[in-house]
Each structure stands twice: as structure tokens, then as C-alpha cells.
């Protein structure tokens, strides 16, 4: 993953496209309506949605027989994720998907894959190696040859290349120049910094960034989520995803951060799949969900809810994954006299009156679902969901009223 931090670093000119707050909010459909996954144009702005992160590629001739392997290469992509249209496997057969070196690899039975709509976990880098490992009781492969057994890869979701990310950023800037509107980067410069910068300078803020995860939805969209409480519970925005089926097609990446303050390589992420949607609400814009293989991510800790009304001027910080970048933390705000992020309006209108609180802390597309943490208590006081300067998050005391029985 060398160089990813520098490639994904934010430039300070980010525009709130997928994460911007419309001047006039659109009417929301019922929580079950699939149209919530779409953008709705309102006065030239867009309702929030997952930040575009990758490209879907069609695959022809993707058949792989048992005991055979195939490498899918997309030069410059930062991850590769494969989809299977055919799984003709015997009991005991496994499909192995790994990166080029074999250091990141995942094994699946047919049932494992069917539980995630036949998508594998992504592997980091620009190559995925797919191998079909036959059952031990069919050593010579006689049954597999007679039954034409094996798998077929029909689609690949891959990350954007550096050139594609640069073009997307240029397109954002061009859109802003053609039709100016408020940004989520609220000062003259982007005041987010890599999480590693806070290891010594602010160890509490750094520790509270560890339960914050990058989520990859359907292989091509990004939001942020975080572990809440001691149980298997994650929070993100309703506008990121709403159903158990979507959760099971969502990867949750912990430990995705730059190894050094100045960038360079990233730490190796720990990836698990989403599992059950436990609660979701369109007005308060949250989705509470669980993950599979919960034991793998318990090491990263959890955040607690600050179940009270925020106070104007209360200082804040926001760990997040803007545009899917490795973890950054926003603590500063040059528009504030103190120079620190702070609550601007503790009773701000979101999708209903007084559901939100506002602030000028820098965020960007892909930051949707980030925890807004009170500096006073080091607990989460809001769930970030809108850009627009001021940016805003749904107050956690509003959300907590609906979630007490599930926590």
C-alpha cells in the first residue's frame, strides 16, 4: 500500500458534492424506499449519498476450473474485488482470493459467498488472484471434470487509479468554478491532518480515531462508520445504506491510516463484512448495524454516546475518512477565535427542526457517518451527515432516544 496516503491526501479545495447540504432540503421517502440510494437534484445541489470510490468492470471468459487460478489485474487500482456468477463447488471446496503476494487472502465456501451476494472481500493493490481449491476427497479431480465444476467471475469492482482520482478532483473544481456553492472545507485551507500526527500530540483524540472505519458499499461507494458501545454495533448514515442486504455487501475497514504523520504507506487494514441492519431512520439519518467476525475488530475499541444537548462554543474533533482517504482528524477551525473546532449552533435544522448541531470543522464527501466528538467528554455528540459551511451532524441525544433498547 506504499504511496496511498500521498495519493489520497486532500488538497484543501474539496467541494461537498455527495456530502453537501442543499439550500432547500428534499422531501424524504419512507425508510424502505430504494430511491434513497439515488441522488435527488435540488436547486443544483445533491442530496447526500455514498462517495463514488471505484469502477465496475465486466469480465468475459472468467471461468476457473477446480485446482486452477486466474489473476485479475487493473494497473494502478488501490483495491480489487471480484463477483461470481457461477459457483459449481462440491462440499469441502473453497475459493481463495488473495493479493498478488498472497499476504492478504480470504477463503470462501459456496455458502460464504452466497451470503454476500457472491462478492468477495476486496484485496489491496491492483491484482486479485482467484484460486479454486478442491475438496481433499477428490484428489484426482475426477468428479470435478465430469461435472464441469468450478467458478465464473463476471464482474470486478476496483478502486480508482491516481489519474482517475486526479480527474475527479479536477471535475469537482471545474463544477465549483462554473456554479459556485458552499464547500465542506470551510476555511481557506483544509485543516484535517493524518491521524498519526496525533499519536503524541493528542493521544486521546488518536485513540478515539481507532474505532472509526472506512466503509466500502457495493464495491464502489464510500462512507464512514464507527463502533458504538461494547457490543457488536456500528453507526453510519441512513443515506449510506439502509438494508441488511446492503450491509452484507459492505466492507468495514479498520486500521486504515497512514503509518506516519507526513503520509507514505498505510497500515494494513483489518476488513470485515457488514451483517444485520438493526435500526435505521431517514429523518435522523442513521443506520445501526452489526458486522461479521466481530472478534477481529474488538481490538480497535469503541466510542460512547454523549446523551445530552450540545452547548454553543463547545470544542469538537472529527475522525473521518473523507473521499475514502486513510483516517484523518479535524481538530482546528481557523474561523473560530480559539482556532479550535466548536459547536456553532446547538439546535440546527436537519431533515426536521432542531435535529442537528452545526460546526465549521472541515469534512468532505465520504465523511458521512463520522463521529463528532466533544472535546469536553471525549464522547460522540453528533453523527456527521451534511456539508455546506456550516456543516452539521444529527445530535446523538436525538438518536439515543430510539436506540436504547438495542445498545
Amino acid at each position: 500500500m506504499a504511496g496511498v496516503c500521498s495519493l489520497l491526501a486532500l488538497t484543501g479545495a474539496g467541494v461537498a458534492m455527495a456530502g453537501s447540504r442543499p439550500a432547500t432540503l428534499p422531501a424524504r421517502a419512507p425508510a424502505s424506499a430504494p430511491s434513497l440510494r439515488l441522488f435527488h437534484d435540488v436547486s443544483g445541489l445533491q442530496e447526500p449519498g455514498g462517495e463514488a470510490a471505484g469502477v465496475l468492470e465486466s469480465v468475459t471468459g472468467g471461468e476457473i476450473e477446480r485446482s486452477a487460478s486466474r489473476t485479475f489485474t487493473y494497473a494502478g487500482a488501490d483495491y480489487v474485488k471480484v463477483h461470481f456468477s457461477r459457483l459449481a463447488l462440491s462440499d469441502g471446496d473453497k475459493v481463495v482470493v488473495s493479493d498478488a503476494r498472497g499476504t492478504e487472502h480470504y477463503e470462501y465456501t459456496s455458502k460464504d459467498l452466497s451470503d454476500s451476494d457472491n462478492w468477495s472481500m476486496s484485496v489491496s493493490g491492483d491484482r486479485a488472484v482467484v484460486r479454486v481449491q478442491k475438496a481433499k476427497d477428490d484428489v484426482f479431480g475426477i468428479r470435478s471434470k465430469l461435472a464441469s465444476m468450478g467458478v465464473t467471475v463476471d464482474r470486478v469492482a476496483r478502486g480508482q487509479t491516481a489519474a482517475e482520482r486526479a480527474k475527479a478532483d479536477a471535475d469537482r473544481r471545474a463544477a465549483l468554478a462554473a456554479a459556485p456553492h458552499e464547500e465542506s472545507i470551510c476555511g481557506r485551507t483544509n485543516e484535517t491532518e493524518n491521524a498519526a500526527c496525533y499519536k503524541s500530540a493528542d493521544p486521546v483524540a488518536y485513540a478515539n480515531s481507532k474505532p472509526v472505519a472506512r466503509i466500502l458499499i457495493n464495491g464502489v461507494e464510500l462512507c464512514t462508520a464507527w463502533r458504538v458501545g461494547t457490543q457488536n454495533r456500528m453507526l453510519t448514515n441512513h443515506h449510506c445504506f439502509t438494508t441488511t442486504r446492503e450491509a452484507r455487501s459492505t466492507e468495514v475497514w479498520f486500521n486504515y491510516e497512514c503509518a506516519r504523520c507526513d503520509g507514505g504507506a498505510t497500515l494494513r487494514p483489518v476488513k470485515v463484512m457488514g451483517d444485520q441492519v438493526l435500526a435505521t431512520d431517514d429523518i435522523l439519518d442513521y443506520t445501526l448495524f452489526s458486522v461479521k467476525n466481530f472478534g477481529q475488530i474488538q481490538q480497535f475499541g469503541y466510542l460512547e454516546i454523549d446523551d445530552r444537548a450540545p452547548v454553543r462554543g463547545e470544542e469538537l474533533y472529527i475522525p473521518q475518512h473523507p473521499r475514502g482517504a486513510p483516517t484523518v482528524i479535524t481538530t482546528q477551525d481557523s474561523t473560530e477565535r480559539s482556532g479550535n473546532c466548536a459547536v456553532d449552533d446547538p439546535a440546527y435544522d436537519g431533515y426536521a427542526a432542531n435535529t442537528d448541531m452545526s460546526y465549521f470543522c472541515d469534512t468532505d464527501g465520504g465523511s458521512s457517518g463520522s463521529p463528532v466528538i466533544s472535546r469536553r467528554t471525549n464522547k460522540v455528540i453528533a453523527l456527521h451527515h451534511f456539508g455546506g459551511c456550516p456543516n452539521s451532524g444529527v445530535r446523538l441525544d436525538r438518536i439515543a432516544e430510539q436506540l436504547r433498547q438495542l445498545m
Side-chain angles (χ1 to χ4, degrees):
M1 295 297 288
V4 170
C5 285
S6 59
L7 289 173
L8 293 181
L10 301 181
T11 63
V15 180
M17 298 292 284
S20 61
R21 180 179 188 273
T24 303
L25 294 175
R28 297 300 298 254
S32 60
S35 61
L36 288 177
R37 298 294 298 122
L38 306 175
F39 290 127
H40 303 283
D41 189 71
V42 179
S43 302
L45 300 181
Q46 291 180 322
E47 179 184 2
E51 175 80 354
V55 179
L56 275 176
E57 301 274 8
S58 295
V59 174
T60 56
E63 297 82 6
I64 305 170
E65 295 181 357
R66 290 170 87 206
S67 299
S69 67
R70 178 170 174 181
T71 300
F72 297 86
T73 303
Y74 299 89
D78 58 341
Y79 66 84
V80 180
K81 182 180 177 75
V82 298
H83 180 267
F84 299 91
S85 60
R86 182 178 67 101
L87 295 167
L89 302 173
S90 288
D91 291 343
D93 285 356
K94 291 184 178 179
V95 178
V96 181
V97 181
S98 66
D99 64 3
R101 296 182 178 180
T103 53
E104 182 182 5
H105 70 280
Y106 304 94
E107 294 184 359
Y108 305 95
T109 65
S110 182
K111 184 181 184 306
D112 292 335
L113 287 166
S114 65
D115 285 345
S116 59
D117 276 351
N118 289 3
W119 281 102
S120 73
M121 184 78 79
S122 67
V123 292
S124 302
D126 61 5
R127 281 180 285 177
V129 181
V130 180
R131 176 168 57 89
V132 183
Q133 180 177 294
K134 64 187 175 186
K136 292 181 180 179
D137 63 352
D138 189 22
V139 177
F140 297 105
I142 296 172
R143 282 193 287 118
S144 65
K145 291 178 180 178
L146 291 174
S148 299
M149 300 185 78
V151 301
T152 300
V153 174
D154 65 334
R155 282 178 284 163
V156 165
R158 63 165 179 83
Q160 293 176 328
T161 65
E164 288 167 337
R165 285 191 292 271
K167 182 179 185 304
D169 187 59
D171 289 345
R172 286 185 179 94
R173 297 188 189 197
L176 177 62
H181 58 77
E182 292 179 306
E183 299 180 349
S184 287
I185 306 300
C186 296
R188 292 184 177 181
T189 60
N190 184 340
E191 294 175 304
T192 62
E193 290 191 272
N194 288 324
C197 300
Y198 295 90
K199 277 186 179 180
S200 299
D202 193 340
V204 173
Y206 176 73
N208 283 337
S209 74
K210 299 301 284 185
V212 178
R214 176 198 209 230
I215 61 174
L216 178 64
I217 307 158
N218 293 321
V220 292
E221 293 181 283
L222 292 167
C223 280
T224 299
W226 47 281
R227 188 177 161 214
V228 52
T230 60
Q231 299 184 61
N232 183 359
R233 302 287 187 268
M234 301 285 301
L235 263 179
T236 190
N237 286 144
H238 175 94
H239 74 247
C240 294
F241 67 84
T242 65
T243 68
T244 290
R245 181 172 182 176
E246 288 176 302
R248 290 176 175 172
S249 296
T250 296
E251 298 183 18
V252 184
W253 294 24
F254 286 86
N255 206 44
Y256 185 59
E257 62 179 80
C258 298
R260 304 191 314 270
C261 177
D262 61 355
T266 64
L267 302 180
R268 181 172 296 280
V270 175
K271 304 175 185 178
V272 293
M273 296 300 295
D275 192 12
Q276 297 279 340
V277 167
L278 305 170
T280 190
D281 186 89
D282 56 340
I283 299 301
L284 296 182
D285 200 12
Y286 73 80
T287 292
L288 181 74
F289 67 103
S290 63
V291 299
K292 298 177 181 177
N293 301 313
F294 175 56
Q296 294 183 22
I297 56 98
Q298 285 183 280
Q299 62 183 301
F300 300 109
Y302 60 89
L303 296 172
E304 297 181 83
I305 290 175
D306 205 341
D307 188 3
R308 62 175 174 86
V311 177
R312 190 183 303 274
E314 183 174 356
E315 293 187 356
L316 311 166
Y317 57 98
I318 308 177
Q320 56 188 287
H321 289 277
R323 299 196 209 166
T327 312
V328 300
I329 306 175
T330 303
T331 65
Q332 299 178 331
D333 175 11
S334 58
T335 68
E336 289 284 339
R337 182 175 297 180
S338 67
N340 299 317
C341 287
V343 177
D344 178 60
D345 184 347
Y348 193 69
D349 291 348
Y351 280 122
N354 301 325
T355 58
D356 286 20
M357 69 176 215
S358 65
Y359 38 84
F360 286 87
C361 315
D362 287 339
T363 60
D364 209 336
S367 299
S368 290
S370 300
V372 183
I373 302 175
S374 166
R375 176 70 70 179
R376 187 171 78 187
T377 65
N378 289 300
K379 296 181 180 180
V380 184
I381 200 166
L383 180 67
H384 175 72
H385 71 151
F386 284 143
C389 295
N391 305 327
S392 72
V394 183
R395 288 170 43 169
L396 257 295
D397 60 327
R398 307 291 196 218
I399 294 174
E401 293 175 7
Q402 298 186 9
L403 296 185
R404 286 193 179 94
Q405 301 301 315
L406 293 169
M407 302 300 294

